[in-house]
Amino acid sequence: MAGGADSCFLGFDFSTQQLKVIAVDGNLEVIVQSSVQFDSELPEFRTRGGVHIHDDKLTVTSPALMFVKALDVLLEKMRNAGFDFSRVKAISGSGQQHGSVFWRKGARQTLNHLDPQKHLHLQLQECFALQDCPVWMDSSTSDQCQFLEAAVGGAQRLADITGSRAYEVCHLCGFQRISLISSFASSLFLGDYAPIDFSDGSGMNLMDIFERRWSQVCLDAAAPQLAERLGDLTPSAAVLGCVSLYYTERFGFAPSCKVVAFTGDNPGSLAGMRLQEGDLAVSLGTSDTVFLWIRDPRPSTEGHIFCNPVDCGAYMALICFKNGSFPRERIRDECAGGSWERFSAALRSTPMGNHGNLGMYFDVMEITPPAAGVHRFNAEGQRVSWFEQDVEIRALLEGQFLAKRVHAEKLGYKILAGTRVLATGGASSNKDILQVLSDVFNAPVYTIDVTDSACLGCAYRALHALEAETGASFTETLRNAPEPQLAVRPTPGAQEVQTHTLPSLQNITFQRQKLMRFLF
């Protein structure tokens, strides 16, 4: 281990609504958590939910200087609370994915010569060519995205190269340097322009995720002289250097404190949830998000594939489903009188496979697939207008989870002998919901009590980057970290249902065929 309990590792997360930090010691215990809320603690920037939504309702930005001032405030909070920065051996962090920061000419000189007697935000206020930077919520660049897809041979061809079709976050113009939120944040600590890491860079539609370099055809289609403005890419576990003298003199960081490449918030969360090969994590919240660790990805026009942030030879996939908790709560209200207990009782009273009845419930326009409305199918594959209440409840959940499995497998996910499904989010507290999840994936489901997983993951990544120099894997480095808790195992017979060896196979198999026809 890189130091004992006296050592400390920091993970930052520059998210949409706040800046957060977690400190872990050499024994992987969380010893400090702190945050700065943008709206309430930095009201001078006049954000709502951390962003500015412009009059066209498509352009969504955040002030670059707000992130800088938030770092000033956060570090001073920690110092005032008595935190000993000299214990910190390494730092890393994450940033909301798909956001961009545009540096003005001369900014690098300012970063190189920061005055420890002054706040960062006072010194960097003239360093940004755009005071407001586009963030992940921005949808103002549809025309540019369509042009990019056309220029490389279509949406699927772009996905084959970069891991996903084009999404409306591609603000690319002529500035001295363009950073992602993650590399911008690491630049603040490094006192120099920091490179974009492989994992976050693979979400830009500009990187060849298999060659781990910029794709020239994508660069040429996007903007002139773009490669020099983006700089080189770097492995996600790379040690970029030591913290700027600004931090040693102002806050007491050790001069040897390492800055490890920052990454995107979703890759950071994969590290925080400690996924391993074959694992799948499902966040059951307002939106449902599926994280996959995969070795041989198959890019698709739906979902995202990124380079894995903790294993340079692997990949991660991310699939987001807008219709998560809202349909579950609506069906609970309509079919179980608003009671989760009655909802669970209905699941226990209906068989796995639901006698062939399946429903797709899209209360709002879905991302994966792009569809809306309620679609019910009976055992003969016919559209029907209603189900009995208990059947409706199981149809909802099996439909949601079957969709997750179908899309995961389409991206290259394979269920292995040691596969685990890791569940988090509000619905993960309901054991009967988790039982359906376990049966659909034919794998045990574990629960993980991880708040601020991106922060925690980046503190782990900071530690691992030092251990990696000795050849230790991420899993080996974190072998003493708290383990997820086993919640449920597949119902006996689930494997046979999935592999066509019991009569009940017709239920799930036929459902999956109907689902495939409907979705694809």
Side-chain angles (χ1 to χ4, degrees):
M1 189 70 70
D6 289 339
S7 300
C8 181
F9 303 86
L10 297 183
F12 294 86
D13 180 30
F14 288 72
S15 67
T16 307
Q17 301 188 47
Q18 59 185 315
L19 169 60
K20 299 169 284 189
V21 66
I22 281 180
V24 300
D25 64 19
N27 295 327
L28 304 175
E29 296 289 336
V30 174
I31 57 174
V32 168
Q33 297 184 70
S34 189
S35 65
V36 174
Q37 303 290 325
F38 298 147
D39 291 1
S40 59
E41 296 184 66
L42 300 173
E44 62 270 29
F45 292 100
R46 301 178 181 274
T47 57
R48 292 189 62 183
V51 300
H52 293 146
I53 300 177
H54 295 232
D55 290 341
D56 63 3
K57 306 301 182 185
L58 298 175
T59 305
V60 184
T61 61
S62 292
L65 201 63
M66 179 179 71
F67 297 123
V68 181
K69 189 169 184 180
L71 182 58
D72 282 329
V73 173
L74 183 62
L75 294 177
E76 288 182 2
K77 272 188 180 183
M78 296 174 71
R79 180 172 60 185
N80 293 340
F83 182 77
D84 183 2
F85 288 100
S86 69
R87 295 174 54 193
V88 180
K89 302 298 182 185
I91 67 170
S92 190
S94 65
Q96 51 180 289
Q97 289 199 268
H98 311 302
S100 306
V101 175
F102 301 91
W103 297 94
R104 189 189 299 274
K105 184 176 181 180
R108 188 173 201 169
Q109 183 77 0
T110 302
L111 284 170
N112 290 168
H113 297 91
L114 294 170
D115 183 349
Q117 301 303 314
K118 299 178 181 178
H119 287 105
L120 276 177
H121 72 276
L122 296 177
Q123 300 182 71
L124 297 179
Q125 57 189 340
E126 301 300 327
C127 286
F128 305 110
L130 287 180
Q131 294 303 308
D132 266 27
C133 51
V135 295
W136 66 273
M137 298 166 67
D138 185 88
S139 300
S140 64
T141 56
S142 295
D143 290 346
Q144 293 94 322
C145 291
Q146 291 173 14
F147 177 82
L148 178 59
E149 288 181 346
V152 301
Q156 182 60 56
R157 177 56 183 154
L158 183 63
D160 290 339
I161 298 170
T162 71
S164 65
R165 57 166 285 266
Y167 289 86
E168 290 89 343
V169 289
C170 312
H171 286 261
L172 301 169
C173 307
F175 303 102
Q176 186 187 52
R177 182 75 170 213
I178 302 172
S179 295
L180 296 180
I181 302 291
S182 58
S183 60
F184 154 73
S186 51
S187 299
L188 299 179
F189 286 102
L190 199 61
D192 201 352
Y193 291 151
I196 294 170
D197 82 295
F198 289 159
S199 196
D200 205 8
S202 52
M204 297 176 70
N205 291 127
L206 295 173
M207 176 183 158
D208 185 323
I209 62 170
F210 298 101
E211 298 293 333
R212 288 175 168 77
R213 57 177 174 79
W214 298 122
S215 164
Q216 194 59 52
V217 64
C218 294
L219 294 177
D220 290 345
Q225 300 178 314
L226 189 53
E228 62 188 68
R229 291 173 171 82
L230 293 170
D232 294 331
L233 290 158
T234 193
S236 299
V239 175
L240 304 181
C242 296
V243 293
S244 162
L245 286 175
Y246 177 86
Y247 298 93
T248 64
E249 297 184 16
R250 186 174 179 87
F251 295 103
F253 280 84
S256 59
C257 176
K258 301 296 192 294
V259 178
V260 177
F262 283 37
T263 192
D265 54 355
N266 289 307
S269 289
L270 179 137
M273 292 185 287
R274 297 168 50 220
L275 262 66
Q276 302 171 22
E277 185 171 359
D279 284 350
L280 172 145
V282 181
S283 176
L284 299 170
T286 303
S287 295
D288 288 350
T289 305
V290 177
F291 295 84
L292 309 169
W293 177 302
I294 50 180
R295 186 66 62 179
D296 300 305
R298 295 197 299 265
S300 167
T301 56
E302 295 171 342
H304 305 266
I305 292 176
F306 307 120
C307 295
N308 192 300
V310 297
D311 182 334
C312 61
Y315 296 85
M316 66 169 284
L318 178 72
I319 316 169
C320 188
F321 301 85
K322 278 187 179 179
N323 291 275
S325 65
F326 287 160
R328 289 191 288 268
E329 290 167 0
R330 179 176 64 79
I331 296 299
R332 175 205 62 189
D333 293 344
E334 294 176 1
C335 298
S339 167
W340 284 118
E341 290 184 6
R342 290 175 59 184
F343 188 96
S344 293
L347 292 174
R348 293 192 297 271
S349 70
T350 49
M352 177 177 56
N354 208 21
H355 297 300
N357 297 298
L358 177 69
M360 296 285 103
Y361 299 77
F362 304 129
D363 288 11
V364 298
M365 178 60 72
E366 187 51 83
I367 301 171
T368 311
V374 175
H375 310 268
R376 299 178 182 89
F377 301 91
N378 63 19
E380 287 72 44
Q382 298 168 334
R383 296 287 292 268
V384 295
S385 60
W386 69 281
F387 287 141
E388 293 181 357
Q389 289 184 340
D390 288 2
V391 172
E392 185 99 278
I393 289 172
R394 179 168 282 275
L396 162 73
L397 283 182
E398 289 193 343
Q400 285 189 329
F401 295 152
L402 280 165
K404 292 170 176 52
R405 177 165 178 171
V406 166
H407 286 284
E409 290 177 345
K410 188 178 180 185
L411 289 173
Y413 177 71
K414 299 174 183 176
I415 296 176
L416 307 175
T419 286
R420 305 176 301 170
V421 178
L422 307 180
T424 186
S428 67
S429 62
N430 186 315
K431 204 164 186 176
D432 295 290
I433 290 178
L434 297 186
Q435 187 64 62
V436 178
L437 179 63
S438 179
D439 292 343
V440 168
F441 280 90
N442 190 33
V445 173
Y446 294 77
T447 55
I448 46 178
D449 184 16
V450 176
T451 56
D452 300 327
S453 58
C455 259
L456 181 63
C458 289
Y460 287 162
R461 291 179 53 251
L463 170 58
H464 173 239
L466 302 190
E467 293 286 317
E469 296 175 350
T470 66
S473 70
F474 185 75
T475 300
E476 291 168 344
T477 301
L478 299 177
R479 59 188 176 275
N480 295 324
E483 289 293 333
Q485 299 299 306
L486 176 65
V488 293
R489 294 188 182 277
T491 300
Q495 181 176 0
E496 288 80 4
V497 168
Q498 296 290 344
T499 57
H500 304 195
T501 58
L502 286 180
S504 57
L505 67 90
Q506 295 175 351
N507 295 327
I508 290 291
T509 302
F510 195 30
Q511 287 175 13
R512 291 185 65 195
Q513 290 171 350
K514 289 183 295 185
L515 182 64
M516 291 286 284
R517 286 202 306 270
F518 179 70
L519 296 185
F520 306 113

